[in-house]
Amino acid sequence: MRSSTAAAWPQVLSRRLRQRASGPLPPRRAANRLTAYVYGNILTLASVAVVTPHGIEDGTAAVIVVGAAVTTFIAHVFAELVAHSNIPDADGLSSTSARAIHMGENLRDAVPIASSAFLPATFLALGWADVMSTQWAQLLGSAVVIARIAGVQLATQRIRGNGLSLRLVVAAVVSAIVAAAIVLVKVLVTH
């Protein structure tokens, strides 16, 4: 019994990575979440790209990356609250409870803005802790964001509830390799 359960976990993991457990998001929510995903990753990459070796060594680089993501998330949520409180019928929601549910969905859909900084900040913190060189910390912090950006099509298919194709995966890998090469050159030239 135990070996059949152990053998089944790769299929479960594969299915979970390909499709959302609760099914596809409605198109409006999928677009909102994808916007937050791309926006958060672009801002995170920009903040990782401008950190200095000294900033990594003294720990401020990780704080800057997390701070940029968290404050952008807060600003985004605040902007949504202001917009929807001033134009409550913008989405055709008439009741207060429907608007509250809608705001909860908007809050959830904005989470990728904040979560985009977790892995890059972790690598920068490892550079601060002398687990790796500052150059490697910045390189890996940038690479993980580039991989996330390259995987936009994969994320889109998952959010929409569609399966992944080999063609999409290959395109994402090629994009990640090209983007990683660009960041590698930037880090080598500026350090």
Side-chain angles (χ1 to χ4, degrees):
M1 177 75 171
R2 182 173 200 139
S3 64
S4 65
T5 304
W9 77 265
Q11 288 94 7
V12 171
L13 179 61
S14 173
R15 184 173 44 254
R16 178 69 177 116
L17 289 174
R18 286 191 323 265
Q19 296 177 342
R20 296 180 71 250
S22 59
L25 287 171
R28 176 189 53 79
R29 290 207 47 218
N32 288 346
R33 194 158 307 170
L34 186 60
T35 297
Y37 181 89
V38 172
Y39 186 55
N41 281 293
I42 289 170
L43 291 176
T44 296
L45 184 58
S47 63
V48 171
V50 299
V51 300
T52 63
H54 178 71
I56 296 170
E57 290 169 355
D58 70 12
T60 58
V63 173
I64 287 169
V65 170
V66 169
V70 169
T71 56
T72 302
F73 171 78
I74 292 168
H76 178 82
V77 170
F78 177 71
E80 287 279 340
L81 284 169
V82 169
H84 288 280
S85 66
N86 284 294
I87 309 172
D89 58 344
D91 292 311
L93 304 172
S94 57
S95 73
T96 304
S97 63
R99 285 193 300 274
I101 290 169
H102 180 70
M103 267 320 299
E105 290 174 346
N106 284 345
L107 180 66
R108 171 63 182 103
D109 292 341
V111 167
I113 294 171
S115 67
S116 64
F118 176 74
L119 285 175
T122 300
F123 285 119
L124 295 173
L126 291 172
W128 168 71
D130 286 331
V131 173
M132 64 178 64
S133 72
T134 59
Q135 190 173 16
W136 273 105
Q138 187 173 25
L139 183 64
L140 292 173
S142 298
V144 73
V145 180
I146 288 168
R148 286 175 55 102
I149 291 170
V152 165
Q153 287 297 324
L154 304 176
T156 302
Q157 296 306 314
R158 183 175 179 273
I159 288 170
R160 305 253 358 237
N162 299 330
L164 300 179
S165 69
L166 180 59
R167 181 176 164 193
L168 278 173
V169 172
V170 169
V173 169
V174 169
S175 295
I177 290 170
V178 170
I182 292 167
V183 170
L184 176 64
V185 169
K186 186 253 182 239
V187 170
L188 292 175
V189 168
T190 61
H191 282 58

